[in-house]
């Protein structure tokens, strides 16, 4: 008699890999009846995975169309390591899979953006720095203010043209997208290449003075503070108490 752990492993292998892995001695019913039940259960699990992937990538689903999206989705979820992953993380490698299969840069970008949206939505809470928090600070206090990147911030450098499913961001494709969730709503912010380079460095910057120096070094002095104000208004900087 197999142990519980062995029985579970064999049961899962049958669901994932098909009838060739059917555990003959695990069920009291006849093999035909047990296999019929397992097929029904496997179909239910497979459908749930397809639905989970579609729910994780609604804009990509709309961009590609139902049948093309589901055709590539079936190939994706049938990979051994995806069969065993948690439903909540099922879309984590979808963008890389699309890239390897030769899909367009626009489609790959969109998959990356939608996964970043999910990660931002589920990230830790933090109080974003607000303009009123720095309004009363003198120069020394402002430059010495200890800061960090908001845990919900995600940064995507675009490689293709912007999908029509993101038309609300404008007609022109930005160099990058910044994803922020300062409150309850996850928001997209188009960025220039320079703005992307500044944002990318926030995680390794300890004070507002260092951030300002970085902005000046990368883009000159004239608009450095305006760029930082844009980041504060987007809610991607936190104050370290």
């Amino acid at each position: 008699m197999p142990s519980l752990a062995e029985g579970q492993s064999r049961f899962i292998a049958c669901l994932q890999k098909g009838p060739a892995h059917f555990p003959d001695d695990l069920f009291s019913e006849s093999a035909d009846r047990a296999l019929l039940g397992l097929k029904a259960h496997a179909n239910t699990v497979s459908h749930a995975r397809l639905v989970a992937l579609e729910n994780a990538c609604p804009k990509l689903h709309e961009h590609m169309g139902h049948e093309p999206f589901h055709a590539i989705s079936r190939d994706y979820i049938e990979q051994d390591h995806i069969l065993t992953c948690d439903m909540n993380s099922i879309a984590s490698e979808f963008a890389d899979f699309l890239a390897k299969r030769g899909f367009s840069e626009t489609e790959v970008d969109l998959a990356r953006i939608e996964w970043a949206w999910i990660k931002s939505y589920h990230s830790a809470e933090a109080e974003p720095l607000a303009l009123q928090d720095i309004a009363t600070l003198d120069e020394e206090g402002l430059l010495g203010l200890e800061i960090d990147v908001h845990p919900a911030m995600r940064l995507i450098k675009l490689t293709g043209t912007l999908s029509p499913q993101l038309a609300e961001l404008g007609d022109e494709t930005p160099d990058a997208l910044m994803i922020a969730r300062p409150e309850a709503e996850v928001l997209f912010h188009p960025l220039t290449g320079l703005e992307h380079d500044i944002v990318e460095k926030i995680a390794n910057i300890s004070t507002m003075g260092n951030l300002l120096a970085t902005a000046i070094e990368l883009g000159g002095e004239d608009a450095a503070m305006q760029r930082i104000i844009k980041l504060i208004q987007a809610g991607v900087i936190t104050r370290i108490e």
Side-chain angles (χ1 to χ4, degrees):
M1 183 64 147
S3 68
L4 177 60
E6 290 172 335
Q8 288 175 332
S9 295
R10 293 163 67 198
F11 181 83
I12 292 170
C14 182
L15 290 177
Q16 293 177 345
K17 300 178 181 179
H21 294 263
F22 178 71
D24 299 279
D25 57 345
L26 198 61
F27 302 99
S28 58
E29 289 284 347
S30 68
D32 288 344
R33 294 296 298 169
L35 190 56
L36 184 63
L38 284 170
K39 285 180 178 178
H41 186 60
N43 286 338
T44 300
V45 173
S46 178
H47 178 70
R49 289 185 176 277
L50 286 172
V51 171
L53 188 58
E54 181 180 326
N55 288 340
C57 304
K59 292 183 183 295
L60 181 60
H61 175 249
E62 185 179 354
H63 175 97
M64 294 177 66
H66 184 76
E67 289 305 323
F69 180 86
H70 273 253
I72 194 62
S73 295
R74 290 187 191 96
D75 291 343
Y76 173 73
I77 67 168
E78 287 174 4
Q79 300 174 99
D80 287 346
H81 68 291
I82 300 298
L83 287 169
T84 58
C85 80
D86 184 274
M87 289 281 196
N88 293 323
S89 60
I90 196 166
S92 61
E93 299 179 29
F94 197 34
D96 290 340
F97 183 79
L98 294 176
K100 290 175 183 176
R101 289 296 186 93
F103 281 78
S104 73
E105 293 175 334
T106 296
E107 290 162 334
V108 173
D109 283 347
L110 194 50
R112 291 168 60 220
I113 290 166
E114 298 215 85
W115 176 243
W117 189 100
I118 291 172
K119 294 298 289 181
S120 179
Y121 180 83
H122 290 290
S123 61
E125 299 288 343
E127 185 71 26
L129 181 70
L131 288 178
Q132 55 263 35
D133 296 330
I134 64 174
T136 58
L137 296 176
D138 58 20
E139 182 178 348
E140 182 179 356
L142 176 62
L143 296 179
L145 183 68
E146 295 186 335
I147 61 171
D148 200 356
V149 63
H150 194 286
M153 195 277 287
R154 296 293 184 275
L155 198 56
I156 304 291
K157 194 155 190 176
L158 301 181
T159 58
T161 57
L162 201 62
S163 167
Q165 274 59 52
L166 294 171
E168 71 273 13
L169 299 179
D171 296 330
E172 296 186 6
T173 298
D175 293 307
L177 278 186
M178 181 175 68
I179 301 174
R181 196 212 65 213
E183 302 296 341
E185 187 177 5
V186 180
L187 301 171
F188 293 139
H189 299 272
L191 299 180
T192 65
L194 172 60
E195 289 169 337
H196 168 274
D197 293 344
I198 294 172
V199 176
E200 195 174 37
K201 295 184 180 296
I202 298 177
N204 299 316
I205 285 175
S206 58
T207 67
M208 185 65 76
N210 289 337
L211 179 59
L212 180 59
T214 298
I216 291 172
E217 178 185 351
L218 292 175
E221 189 171 355
D222 290 346
M225 198 61 204
Q226 285 88 338
R227 293 189 178 102
I228 292 174
I229 289 173
K230 177 179 177 177
L231 300 181
I232 294 173
Q233 291 175 322
V236 298
I237 299 175
T238 61
R239 178 178 188 170
I240 299 176
E241 300 295 341

